Structure formats: C-alpha cells, structure tokens
Amino acid sequence: MTQNVQKLIVIGAGQMGSGIAQVAAEAGLRVLLNDISEAYAAKGLNRIRANLERNVSKGRLTEAEMDAVLGRISLSTTLNDAADCDMAIEAATENLDIKLQVFRTLDETMPAHAILASNTSSLPITEIAAVTKRPAQVIGMHFMNPVPVMKLVEVIRGLATSDEVYQTVYELAVKMGKTAVEVNDFPGFVSNRVLMPMINEAIYCVYEGVATPEAIDEVMKLGMNHPMGPLTLADFIGLDTCLAIMEVLYEGFGDSKYRPCPLLRKYVKAGWLGKKSGRGFYQYD
Ligand code: CAA
C-alpha cells in the first residue's frame, strides 16, 4: 500500500529546492515553496519560471501548460503552512543543526500521515529521523543538480524507514520523471561517496602541481567522457558543499583516504566557493 501524495511543501527555495518544486508541480502536485524570506522564495519561483519559459521557447511546453505548472506553486515563509501537506522535502542548507530544527518543527506541525524527506547530500537520515516521533516516515530523497535535467534520485532508507514509505517515495520519484535508486544510510550514500573523493583527488592534483585545473578537467572530460571536468563540477556544486561532504566522509568512516585537500579548505576559507561566489577553480564574471 502506498500513499497518494497530493500536496507537498519544499523547504528551501535555492538551486535544489526550486528544482524539486518545479518537477513536483510538473508531475501534477500542489507545491508550497518555502524559504525564510519572501525574497528568497520569490527568487526560487523566478528560477522555475525562467526554466519553463525556456521549455516553451523550445516548443517542449505550451504557454497554457506553463501557466498550469506555475499555478500549482505557491510561496510560503512559515513552516506552519505544512499543516495541510502530505509530504515535506527539505532542501535547506547542509547544516545538521538547521535540518534537525526543521524536522522537529515539521513533525509537530504536519498531519500524522505525512512523510518527511530530506534532500541532504550526505547527512545521516537515521539521525534526522531520531528527532521526530515518526522515524518510520522519514527518508532521504537526494536529487541531483540541475534537478530538472538529471535523471537520478537516490532514495535513502534510514534505519527505521518503513517499506510503505519507501515505496511511496519511490513511486513519487518515478511520477516526477526520475529513476529512483535504493540506497542505505551510510556516509555520503553512494553518489557522494564515489563522486567526492574523485573531486578531492582532482584538487590534490592542482595542489601538488600535477597539472592546471584546465588540464585536469580536459583529461576527465575527453578521457573519461564526463560531461564536466571534476573542478568545473566542484565549482558548480559549491566548494563549501564539497568540503562539508568530505568532512562527513572523513568523520563517518575515520579513514584518512577521505581527508579533505588543504587547498579545498583554503579556498573555502578565502570565500572562493565556486560559481555562486564568482570564483573557485575558475573565475565567473
Ligand atoms: N536548470 C534547468 N535546465 C538546465 C540547467 C539548469 N540549471 N542547466 C542546463 N540545463 C539544460 C539546458 O537548458 C539544456 O537543455 P536542452 O538541451 O534540452 O536545451 C541541457 O540542460 C543541456 O545544457 P547545455 O547545453 O547548456 O550544457 P551541457 O550540455 O554542458 O549540460 C549539464 C549541462 C546538464 C549541467 C551537464 O554539464 C552535466 O550533466 N554536468 C554534470 C552534472 C552533474 O554531475 N551533476 C551532479 C552534481 S552532484 C549533485 O548534484 C549531488 C550532490 O550531492 C553534490
């Protein structure tokens, strides 16, 4: 038996949250796009509108379909709005304390049947579930960036996640046009356990003077057929996020093979966070 999720609240209207709200609304769900300020939420909606307009200009969507998708999205600046939602997908900052607070509030606010999902890229689902009174209804739903384009959703089962909730979320991901892959709750899940050490190693290659960032990216793009080189991808993901994930792997496994490269730490300390700050391994103006 699976649940019928009709109304969804997405917490966080940044790059990931707005993408999730878009694919959910395209799948026919009513969506509340929540952020701490009206301005942040509106910025997320503008991003969705721009994506949909591009699809209209490319003939993949009609104006009427675009209006219908946008009509299913409302903005929210309070978690009290979650009171009549069937599900929440949290896509707030990758900070465990912030996420725990959001989950405590959602647990108090949302109806008993509601599912609480996190889009975390590496924080422990089991620990997040443990601060709620419904750990069987807490799950990881990890979308990839850019959400409207990337096919994968890692569905992460916490220790207590029920089969019914897993199945509901699996089916929801399919309804959103994604391929869902089942993963258990261990540091970095599968995606970032494999991806981040590769990115970290590419940063070591810069640090040790093995090659320039351009050369390293060229090797991986042309040699391994990756759509983006690892350093371009690191800038795209955000160097602060890359560092946070490496720290989770390093702490979670206690294995020195996951130690973050000192150059990555240095860039983050300098505020060189990649594309979003205008500078990372490359410069963006
Ligand atoms: N939002 C919506 N659509 C976007 C987009 C965005 N932010 N960025 C690109 N697109 C669309 C473009 O409109 C274009 O669509 P059409 O071809 O249908 O017109 C399509 O994607 C391809 O874009 P481009 O031609 O501009 O550029 P590209 O061919 O280089 O593709 C890319 C861009 C899809 C981002 C590609 O470079 C890519 O796949 N990069 C790797 C992305 C990746 O690895 N993501 C995972 C990051 S890790 C993560 O997310 C998890 C984590 O926990 C850190």
Side-chain angles (χ1 to χ4, degrees), residues 72 79 94 108 111 131 154 213-214 229 245-246 248 260 277 282:
R72 284 193 283 274
L79 293 184
E94 282 294 275
E108 279 163 19
V131 301
E154 255 185 323
E214 290 82 358
I245 296 170
M246 284 311 295
V248 166
S277 74
Y282 298 95

Side-chain angles (χ1 to χ4, degrees), residues 168-234:
T168 299
V169 169
Y170 179 94
E171 285 174 18
L172 183 64
V174 172
K175 194 172 168 187
M176 291 175 177
K178 305 299 180 193
T179 298
V181 175
E182 180 179 0
V183 172
N184 285 319
D185 185 24
F186 281 95
F189 317 133
V190 170
S191 54
N192 281 316
R193 183 165 175 180
V194 176
L195 174 68
M196 280 304 155
M198 181 194 70
I199 287 178
N200 197 47
E201 206 55 37
I203 299 171
Y204 265 107
C205 288
V206 181
Y207 180 59
E208 292 170 6
V210 179
T212 63
E214 290 82 358
I216 294 162
D217 278 349
E218 202 75 338
V219 167
M220 297 306 288
K221 265 173 65 177
L222 302 183
M224 321 302 156
N225 238 357
H226 289 189
M228 282 176 168
L231 299 166
T232 303
L233 183 56

Side-chain angles (χ1 to χ4, degrees), residues 51 54 58 60 121 142 144-146 149-150 192 228 233:
N51 281 341
R54 198 173 53 235
K58 292 198 168 181
R60 286 188 294 239
S121 50
H142 183 211
M144 302 293 130
N145 187 17
V149 179
M150 304 296 283
N192 281 316
M228 282 176 168
L233 183 56

Side-chain angles (χ1 to χ4, degrees), residues 108-153:
E108 279 163 19
T109 312
M110 295 189 76
H113 73 275
I115 294 172
L116 312 188
S118 176
N119 176 56
T120 180
S121 50
S122 66
L123 295 171
I125 300 302
T126 304
E127 192 175 340
I128 293 171
V131 301
T132 73
K133 294 184 194 69
R134 58 179 100 190
Q137 288 157 250
V138 177
I139 193 160
M141 198 175 183
H142 183 211
F143 292 81
M144 302 293 130
N145 187 17
V147 177
V149 179
M150 304 296 283
K151 279 295 192 197
L152 177 73
V153 174

